[in-house]
Amino acid sequence: MDKLVVKDMNIDMDIDGNIVTIIGPTNSGKTYFLNKLCNHIDNSDIYIDDICIKKYDVDFLKNNICVVLNDDIYYKEYVMEELCYHLQELNYRFDEAVAKVIKISEIFNINSLLHERLDNLPLNVRILVKILSYLVINPKIIAIDNLTNYLDKYTKKNLFKYISDNYITLINVTSDANELMFSNDIMVMNEGKSVLYGNIKDVCDGNSILPYMGIKLPFIIDLSQNLILYNLIDKVYYDDRKLVNKLWK
């Protein structure tokens, strides 16, 4: 799997282990795209490596494309059972599923919660479990619908690092522009189509289209641009530590 194309939405992205953040105004098509990707709505215009997604084996797609929607659907009562659920749906043996779950739970420091009821856990932990129940499959693509903003900063960084280290392509739909700072590539959507695709400089530098869509720029970029107006710095910074060091020189 190297290329994902959605013809009717002007989407063309490489499946190369990068983090692709999708942002856009309300009803711009972000969640609609994810629903197409997981076959909840017609997806006959999606092509993977120039082959229509309809021609791929269902088990192959379930193993390689996982979509974590922004809903309150859980399949089991306990954390361990929930984390094993999708693996068992893919016919992993129980002992294989448990071994994979224990390994990933240790990485994300939730091994002490494996025998807890999901409804006893705070929202941010339930959301992490929801994401990990798909990530444990180790798919080629994981798409997450506006959920990472519920995670604390440490967990979010750990999640993005794990995804990158395992060469998984993340499609991260978000309404929080600050999450653009974690991206390799950014897709801006409007009126059901991709209208801009590039790195953070392409999307946020200069006369960015984001403010015209009612989307604030990431804080560090917005601050940099304001400081440029006051001749305090001469370029946009993408790292808060570098900006602080520049100001305190």
Side-chain angles (χ1 to χ4, degrees), residues 5 27 35 55 60 63 72 81 115 118 120 136 157 165 171 175 183 209 216 220 229 245 248:
V5 172
N27 296 324
N35 276 299
K55 295 185 179 181
F60 172 83
N63 274 286
D72 198 35
E81 294 175 340
H115 301 293
L118 280 164
N120 288 336
V136 72
K157 283 187 175 181
D165 288 350
I171 300 172
S175 56
S183 311
I209 67 171
K216 290 189 67 174
I220 191 67
L229 293 176
N245 290 338
W248 284 95

Side-chain angles (χ1 to χ4, degrees), residues 9 11 22-33 173-174 187-195 213 215:
M9 302 185 76
I11 292 172
I22 301 181
I23 198 164
T26 303
N27 296 324
S28 59
K30 304 184 296 296
T31 299
Y32 182 81
F33 164 46
V173 168
T174 186
M187 181 189 301
V188 182
M189 295 197 67
N190 195 32
E191 297 182 351
K193 295 184 182 297
S194 170
V195 296
M213 294 179 167
I215 301 169

Side-chain angles (χ1 to χ4, degrees), residues 14 100 160 163 221:
D14 293 326
K100 288 175 72 70
F160 291 160
I163 288 170
I221 296 175

Side-chain angles (χ1 to χ4, degrees), residues 49-61:
D49 298 338
D50 297 322
I51 299 171
C52 179
I53 196 170
K54 296 289 190 184
K55 295 185 179 181
Y56 283 86
D57 178 76
V58 172
D59 286 338
F60 172 83
L61 294 175

Side-chain angles (χ1 to χ4, degrees), residues 22-25 177-178 180 186-189 195-196 200 202-218 221:
I22 301 181
I23 198 164
N178 288 304
L180 301 181
I186 298 166
M187 181 189 301
V188 182
M189 295 197 67
V195 296
L196 181 61
I200 194 162
D202 296 330
V203 174
C204 294
D205 262 9
N207 192 27
S208 173
I209 67 171
L210 295 183
Y212 298 98
M213 294 179 167
I215 301 169
K216 290 189 67 174
L217 294 173
I221 296 175

Side-chain angles (χ1 to χ4, degrees), residues 24-238:
T26 303
N27 296 324
S28 59
K30 304 184 296 296
T31 299
Y32 182 81
F33 164 46
L34 298 194
N35 276 299
K36 288 174 78 75
L37 197 56
C38 63
N39 198 31
H40 283 182
I41 55 178
D42 178 61
N43 61 0
S44 56
D45 64 322
I46 295 182
Y47 285 76
I48 298 171
D49 298 338
D50 297 322
I51 299 171
C52 179
I53 196 170
K54 296 289 190 184
K55 295 185 179 181
Y56 283 86
D57 178 76
V58 172
D59 286 338
F60 172 83
L61 294 175
K62 287 182 176 180
N63 274 286
N64 286 283
I65 302 176
C66 293
V67 179
V68 193
L69 295 173
N70 192 347
D71 55 35
D72 198 35
I73 296 175
Y74 293 86
Y75 298 93
K76 298 293 182 178
E77 292 184 24
Y78 291 88
V79 173
M80 171 65 88
E81 294 175 340
E82 183 69 22
L83 290 172
C84 287
Y85 176 79
H86 296 296
L87 291 170
Q88 292 184 281
E89 288 286 294
L90 292 170
N91 296 316
Y92 280 78
R93 293 198 322 265
F94 181 72
D95 61 320
E96 290 177 324
V98 168
K100 288 175 72 70
V101 164
I102 290 174
K103 183 176 180 180
I104 202 168
S105 67
E106 289 174 347
I107 292 170
F108 288 92
N109 299 313
I110 61 166
N111 44 312
S112 63
L113 303 177
L114 292 177
H115 301 293
E116 294 287 335
R117 287 179 59 92
L118 280 164
D119 54 10
N120 288 336
L121 300 176
L123 178 61
N124 63 314
V125 179
R126 293 202 308 272
I127 287 172
L128 176 61
V129 170
K130 185 180 185 71
I131 294 170
L132 295 185
S133 71
Y134 290 92
L135 192 57
V136 72
I137 296 170
N138 197 39
K140 291 286 290 183
I141 300 171
I142 186 165
I144 302 175
D145 186 16
N146 211 21
L147 290 172
T148 55
N149 55 312
Y150 289 98
L151 305 177
D152 63 69
K153 188 174 181 180
Y154 171 79
T155 303
K156 187 184 299 187
K157 283 187 175 181
N158 196 23
L159 177 68
F160 291 160
K161 182 179 186 303
Y162 179 89
I163 288 170
S164 294
D165 288 350
N166 286 275
Y167 204 68
I168 298 168
T169 296
L170 170 62
I171 300 172
N172 184 36
V173 168
T174 186
S175 56
D176 180 3
N178 288 304
E179 292 200 349
L180 301 181
M181 305 301 295
F182 295 98
S183 311
N184 301 112
D185 298 301
I186 298 166
M187 181 189 301
V188 182
M189 295 197 67
N190 195 32
E191 297 182 351
K193 295 184 182 297
S194 170
V195 296
L196 181 61
Y197 189 91
N199 62 35
I200 194 162
K201 291 184 179 181
D202 296 330
V203 174
C204 294
D205 262 9
N207 192 27
S208 173
I209 67 171
L210 295 183
Y212 298 98
M213 294 179 167
I215 301 169
K216 290 189 67 174
L217 294 173
F219 173 76
I220 191 67
I221 296 175
D222 188 46
L223 178 60
S224 291
Q225 293 184 354
N226 283 309
L227 291 173
I228 289 171
L229 293 176
Y230 289 98
N231 295 317
L232 294 173
I233 57 175
D234 56 7
K235 68 176 184 178
V236 173
Y237 283 81
Y238 301 90

